[in-house]
Amino acid sequence: MIYSMTGYGKSVLQLPTKKITIELKSLNSKNLDLNARMPSIYREKELSIRKLLADKLVRGKIDFSIYVEATAEDTSTQINTPVVKQYMSQLKAIVDAEDATLLEMAVRFPDALNTVREEIDENEWNAIQGGINDAVEALVSHRLNEGKVLESDFNNRVGNIGIILKKVIEMDPERVEGVRERLKKGVEELKEKYDENRFEQELVYYIEKFDITEEKVRLKNHLNYFTESINSKDSNGKKLGFISQEMGREINTIGSKSNYAPMQQLVVQMKDELEKIKEQLLNVL
């Protein structure tokens, strides 16, 4: 089972005096990159929110937002009546204007309005915590669905590499014989006498240098290990990335050792499938 790092989660709370919307967006990232936006009243809870998101989401570029929309008369701003009256009295001494005009001018001056700092209501915060958990679950569900799509693609491409590897294995005896014939023909074209036994010894040594038996075995093991890791309980994109690097090393070595054009064409096909796997692995949690 694998999870994508891409996902979206949302929850909406309707409280007595306000509507609260919680949103989570996630994109791929090497580590956890968390950006939190919320009204100042909830800032004291930011550390606990970050810990919750880090525990549940593990990795990715995460955008977390809390939006508040007032749905009833609920204001923390009050008129500072004594100060406003004092301003109006002073203005009346220098301006001939009606009280409404003086009031309009007075409320623009410093300290005319008092903003009372709100305290978080515990019942409200408990509801918000529930909303955050709902948004996280929605995002995780989205990640899982995206992961299933990636898993299907990985299995398909790993299967393709396995099919091509079988063709490489079947072609290997033909390749070795082709190398043998080319060397023998090259020596004969020199029109020089040579020791048959010595030639065979050198030929065996040369062919051994281009033997790809170990690479074929290791690549097959890496393909199996990749499939096993996909089907494990934990999603580990970094581990799959390491396995894909090992697969790439074996494929490259087969290509450099093959010395046979038809086999090199198969190697190119395997490289193409592997590159597509590596691109998609950037999105795996």
Side-chain angles (χ1 to χ4, degrees):
M1 182 194 311
I2 61 174
Y3 287 82
S4 170
M5 274 188 281
T6 302
Y8 176 79
K10 178 180 179 180
S11 66
V12 179
L13 304 174
Q14 185 61 64
L15 302 179
T17 61
K18 63 186 72 172
K19 176 184 175 182
I20 297 178
T21 303
I22 300 165
E23 280 190 341
L24 273 169
K25 299 175 185 177
S26 175
L27 297 173
N28 62 309
S29 176
K30 289 184 178 180
N31 302 299
L32 179 66
D33 180 9
L34 178 57
N35 180 37
R37 291 187 296 272
M38 66 188 77
S40 58
I41 185 176
Y42 303 126
R43 282 293 173 188
E44 66 184 77
K45 301 292 187 179
E46 183 175 347
L47 289 179
S48 62
I49 293 173
R50 285 180 174 272
K51 185 178 185 307
L52 169 68
L53 297 179
D55 290 342
K56 293 289 184 68
L57 303 181
V58 183
R59 196 156 64 99
K61 179 175 172 48
I62 312 294
D63 284 327
F64 170 80
S65 303
I66 297 179
Y67 303 102
V68 178
E69 178 185 349
T71 57
E73 293 184 6
D74 182 25
T75 177
S76 60
T77 302
Q78 298 177 352
I79 297 175
N80 194 337
T81 304
V83 172
V84 171
K85 286 183 177 181
Q86 184 64 29
Y87 281 142
M88 290 178 66
S89 176
Q90 293 178 28
L91 288 168
K92 189 176 289 186
I94 57 176
V95 178
D96 184 14
E98 295 180 357
D99 287 348
T101 302
L102 295 174
L103 177 60
E104 185 178 347
M105 297 169 64
V107 295
R108 297 176 183 174
F109 291 151
D111 301 323
L113 300 176
N114 284 334
T115 300
V116 181
R117 175 173 169 77
E118 291 182 276
E119 297 295 332
I120 299 179
D121 180 80
E122 283 305 312
N123 291 330
E124 177 182 311
W125 179 245
N126 289 336
I128 292 173
Q129 279 187 309
I132 293 173
N133 286 325
D134 290 343
V136 168
E137 289 179 8
L139 187 145
V140 170
S141 178
H142 193 160
R143 279 181 161 188
L144 179 59
N145 290 333
E146 291 283 331
K148 289 178 180 177
V149 175
L150 292 174
E151 182 178 338
S152 175
D153 186 66
F154 289 146
N155 284 327
N156 182 48
R157 298 197 182 283
V158 167
N160 290 342
I161 294 175
I163 291 171
I164 300 169
L165 177 59
K166 286 182 180 178
K167 294 180 181 179
V168 168
I169 294 171
E170 292 169 357
M171 184 182 290
D172 201 23
E174 176 185 328
R175 173 188 73 100
V176 172
E177 186 60 33
V179 171
R180 180 189 295 272
E181 289 301 319
R182 287 204 308 273
L183 290 174
K184 192 171 183 179
K185 184 178 180 181
V187 171
E188 289 175 349
E189 287 178 352
L190 294 174
K191 296 182 180 179
E192 295 286 343
K193 291 183 179 180
Y194 59 90
D195 187 314
E196 285 283 351
N197 291 331
R198 179 62 186 271
F199 174 74
E200 285 297 327
Q201 291 174 1
E202 293 295 332
L203 184 60
V204 169
Y205 173 74
Y206 182 81
I207 290 176
E208 283 180 350
K209 286 179 64 177
F210 291 92
D211 181 67
I212 58 171
T213 301
E214 290 185 8
E215 287 76 13
K216 291 183 295 186
V217 172
R218 284 198 293 263
L219 178 55
K220 186 175 181 180
N221 289 337
H222 292 327
L223 292 174
N224 291 335
Y225 189 33
F226 191 94
T227 302
E228 289 174 7
S229 299
I230 287 176
N231 295 324
S232 66
K233 293 181 179 180
D234 299 322
S235 179
N236 194 331
K238 290 183 178 180
K239 178 182 178 181
L240 293 173
F242 295 146
I243 299 172
S244 70
Q245 289 177 9
E246 295 302 316
M247 289 160 58
R249 288 193 182 95
E250 304 307 333
I251 292 172
N252 287 334
T253 304
I254 290 173
S256 62
K257 282 187 174 184
S258 66
N259 201 23
Y260 189 55
M263 185 174 288
Q264 287 171 336
Q265 292 174 1
L266 295 177
V267 167
V268 170
Q269 294 176 31
M270 287 193 289
K271 284 183 176 181
D272 182 52
E273 293 291 342
L274 183 60
E275 282 305 308
K276 290 172 182 174
I277 289 174
K278 287 182 176 180
E279 288 176 10
Q280 294 285 36
L281 280 175
L282 296 176
N283 294 318
V284 176
L285 182 62

